[in-house]
Amino acid sequence: MEIDKAIRESNDRRLKSKYNNAIYVIKRAFALYAFEEVAFSFNGGKDSTVLLHLLRAGYFLHKETPNYLSEGDTNCEMKCPIRTIYFVSPCAFPEIDSFTYETAATYDLQLENFRIDFKSGLEALLKEKPIRAIFLGTRIGDPNAVGQEQFSPSSPGWPPFMRVNPILDWSYRDVWAFILTCKVRYCSLYDQGYTSIGSIYDTVPNALLGTSDSSTSKENFRPAYLLSDGRLERAGRAKKCSRQDSGSDPVINESRTLTVSVIAVGDEILFGTVEDQLGSSLCRKLRSIGWTVSHTAVVRNDIDSVAEEVEQRKSSNDVVFMYGGVGPLHSDVSVAGVAKAFGVRLAPDEEFEEYLRHLTSDQYTGDRNEMAQLPEGITELLHHEKLAVPLVETAQPLSKLCLEFPDLSIGCFRKSRVGPLIVNFVGKDQARIELAVEALCKKFNHGDFSEVNCG
């Protein structure tokens, strides 16, 4: 099967892992439900296009088992005659409609069109045919993904069926890596700078992909797969005025600007040990690109403090920038705080773990793996090459030191990205601080730290 062959021949370890996990979910669904009891919700977008070809591969691998493979079945490599739901909308891009119908014809999808809302359409479908499970191209980060697992029963008040989400943990990068590796056809809008496609009234090309043509003064756009930060996938979703508001065709509300909250994490800033220069630099940079900073805050190295601040900013719909508290040290709690604010677990990220292995060598396995734990669903990592070498060699001894002196606040940081290490001790009992400093000196060689602060 050409999809499975392309993935097996790829050198992308992360993509192989995502593919294998998705295929497992699909094969599991085919084992649990009869083929006529499953359906596929297709909308012509990139995510459902990926899911279509995963279903083709999963269907082929499922039928490849001797119990299912019948002689003379030569079409399973190209076809997947699964019942397919498509909700037709007068607000859809013509290119999406065309791509959907052409794709259905190419792969023998049993396309069923609905011209009503999603819930009513499902009620009509399930009333007419015994559908027990529906494959969906939902990814973490989608508005409707909150609380879903790879197998999730439908929500209360909806028709009863099992939602099957094979690509729930896939990132924007994973989606495009699959499409480009397998060389599958996708909707032409993605070559015109669209990165997330909704209706014709709320979708424009992503400005981050814009390129100016001096000869024609016309703005052009690079393809969607060149977007470097997948977290900005929905930057092309813009609010538009209604016909009633504008008196003509809908137009983009050009006055809309992004508002930002900036959160710094670090006891050393609150103690006055370090001057926060990054915050002012970041605010100036954001202002220079047209973003409005509405809120800044500094919080303690404490999971609950981080979670509370992120929770508050999340409800304000601001874009949140956070710095500090990221690394293998006992005081690096930012990632855990973000996970708590979003109610998700920390899970290993293959891409980040591979990068950390390159930085730190296999000698620091325990700390490296701990650093690679990211909030589940936070699947995009940017500019790995600009990360400072982690302080893994100091993490374990400092953590033990904190256990020995629970009455002291012990922090380790650098004043700049590649600057020397500084250890900071804060406590009420000066004798205890002196004992902690003495213990520190026994754990490390002379010169490992440029400075030891006591306060």
Side-chain angles (χ1 to χ4, degrees):
M1 201 277 170
E2 84 281 5
I3 297 296
D4 192 66
K5 182 173 182 290
I7 298 296
R8 282 190 285 106
E9 293 176 352
S10 169
N11 294 323
D12 191 333
R13 292 172 55 188
R14 176 186 170 97
L15 178 60
K16 285 183 176 180
S17 174
K18 297 292 184 181
Y19 170 80
N20 289 333
N21 291 339
I23 291 298
Y24 173 80
V25 172
I26 290 168
K27 291 173 69 176
R28 182 68 178 152
F30 283 145
L32 289 171
Y33 306 102
F35 191 72
E36 61 273 11
E37 293 178 331
V38 298
F40 164 44
S41 180
F42 187 59
N43 64 11
K46 62 185 184 305
D47 298 339
S48 61
T49 297
V50 166
L51 181 53
L52 164 63
H53 294 287
L54 287 171
L55 285 171
R56 291 178 56 231
Y59 179 63
F60 169 74
L61 294 170
H62 173 71
K63 287 177 68 66
E64 196 179 46
T65 306
N67 291 338
Y68 296 97
L69 185 62
S70 59
E71 291 186 16
D73 189 358
T74 59
N75 281 334
C76 62
E77 181 166 326
M78 277 297 297
K79 315 294 183 182
C80 181
I82 190 170
R83 180 171 290 126
T84 303
I85 310 165
Y86 180 54
F87 287 86
V88 182
S89 169
C91 303
F93 284 88
E95 293 89 343
I96 286 286
D97 281 336
S98 299
F99 175 73
T100 298
Y101 295 131
E102 290 168 9
T103 300
T106 300
Y107 298 108
D108 278 358
L109 303 178
Q110 298 179 30
L111 195 66
E112 300 190 30
N113 294 330
F114 290 92
R115 300 182 183 276
I116 50 181
D117 65 274
F118 193 77
K119 184 177 180 182
S120 300
L122 289 180
E123 288 173 344
L125 177 70
L126 271 62
K127 196 174 194 180
E128 179 185 348
K129 297 171 182 174
I131 299 297
R132 297 179 59 198
I134 300 177
F135 289 104
L136 301 167
T138 301
R139 288 193 290 119
I140 290 290
D142 292 346
N144 62 334
V146 177
Q148 289 205 46
E149 301 288 344
Q150 290 173 321
F151 286 86
S152 288
S154 55
S155 302
W158 281 67
F161 66 93
M162 182 63 72
R163 294 176 288 191
V164 185
N165 303 308
I167 63 170
L168 189 65
D169 64 340
W170 284 42
S171 69
Y172 184 86
R173 171 221 181 260
D174 298 329
V175 166
W176 281 110
F178 178 90
I179 290 173
L180 298 176
T181 298
C182 298
K183 297 181 172 62
V184 298
R185 186 168 168 264
Y186 53 87
C187 179
S188 61
L189 289 174
Y190 293 111
D191 285 333
Q192 301 171 32
Y194 291 85
T195 53
S196 176
I197 300 174
S199 79
I200 58 176
Y201 299 133
D202 67 2
T203 309
V204 295
N206 195 319
L208 297 169
L209 294 172
T211 59
S212 56
D213 187 341
S214 56
S215 61
T216 63
S217 69
K218 179 183 177 182
E219 187 173 22
N220 297 315
F221 294 89
R222 293 173 293 150
Y225 54 79
L226 294 180
L227 183 68
S228 60
D229 187 355
R231 291 167 295 187
L232 299 175
E233 169 186 1
R234 291 181 175 269
R237 294 292 189 97
K239 292 182 180 179
K240 296 187 178 183
C241 300
S242 66
R243 283 186 172 86
Q244 288 81 3
D245 294 336
S246 64
S248 57
D249 289 337
V251 295
I252 303 170
N253 184 357
E254 295 181 353
S255 64
R256 181 175 178 262
T257 59
L258 287 171
T259 57
V260 179
S261 289
V262 176
I263 302 172
V265 180
D267 288 347
E268 63 273 13
I269 299 175
L270 293 171
F271 294 154
T273 308
V274 172
E275 183 180 350
D276 181 17
Q277 297 178 340
L278 180 57
S280 57
S281 175
L282 177 59
C283 289
R284 286 195 299 271
K285 181 63 176 177
L286 292 169
R287 182 68 179 172
S288 72
I289 62 175
W291 291 17
T292 299
V293 178
S294 64
H295 176 84
T296 62
V298 181
V299 299
R300 296 179 54 220
N301 292 332
D302 174 76
I303 293 176
D304 290 335
S305 298
V306 173
E308 183 179 350
E309 184 65 31
V310 172
E311 185 72 33
Q312 290 177 2
R313 303 329 305 166
K314 186 175 67 168
S315 63
S316 70
N317 292 323
D318 280 4
V319 176
V320 177
F321 284 80
M322 179 182 292
Y323 59 92
V326 178
L329 299 175
H330 64 282
S331 57
D332 291 324
V333 298
S334 294
V335 173
V338 170
K340 183 172 182 178
F342 283 89
V344 299
R345 298 166 294 187
L346 288 175
D349 184 279
E350 304 99 316
E351 184 182 358
F352 196 31
E353 187 171 6
E354 187 172 340
Y355 172 68
L356 291 175
R357 186 183 301 116
H358 168 73
L359 273 186
T360 65
S361 81
D362 290 333
Q363 160 182 12
Y364 303 116
T365 303
D367 292 319
R368 184 200 69 209
N369 287 337
E370 185 176 341
M371 273 195 70
Q373 300 281 319
L374 297 177
E376 202 169 34
I378 309 300
T379 50
E380 295 290 346
L381 297 169
L382 183 64
H383 297 321
H384 292 181
E385 70 280 1
K386 294 186 179 180
L387 291 177
V389 176
L391 311 178
V392 285
E393 68 275 16
T394 65
Q396 207 166 51
L398 277 175
S399 294
K400 290 180 179 178
L401 193 65
C402 289
L403 292 175
E404 295 172 23
F405 296 89
D407 54 321
L408 302 181
S409 172
I410 304 174
C412 180
F413 57 91
R414 287 177 167 134
K415 289 186 177 180
S416 62
R417 187 169 67 90
V418 293
L421 302 181
I422 299 170
V423 180
N424 190 61
F425 294 86
V426 177
K428 295 180 179 179
D429 188 334
Q430 187 61 33
R432 291 283 291 169
I433 292 176
E434 291 174 1
L435 282 174
V437 172
E438 184 179 344
L440 174 73
C441 293
K442 291 179 181 179
K443 293 179 183 294
F444 294 96
N445 298 321
H446 179 72
D448 283 349
F449 297 95
S450 69
E451 192 176 326
V452 175
N453 294 331
C454 302

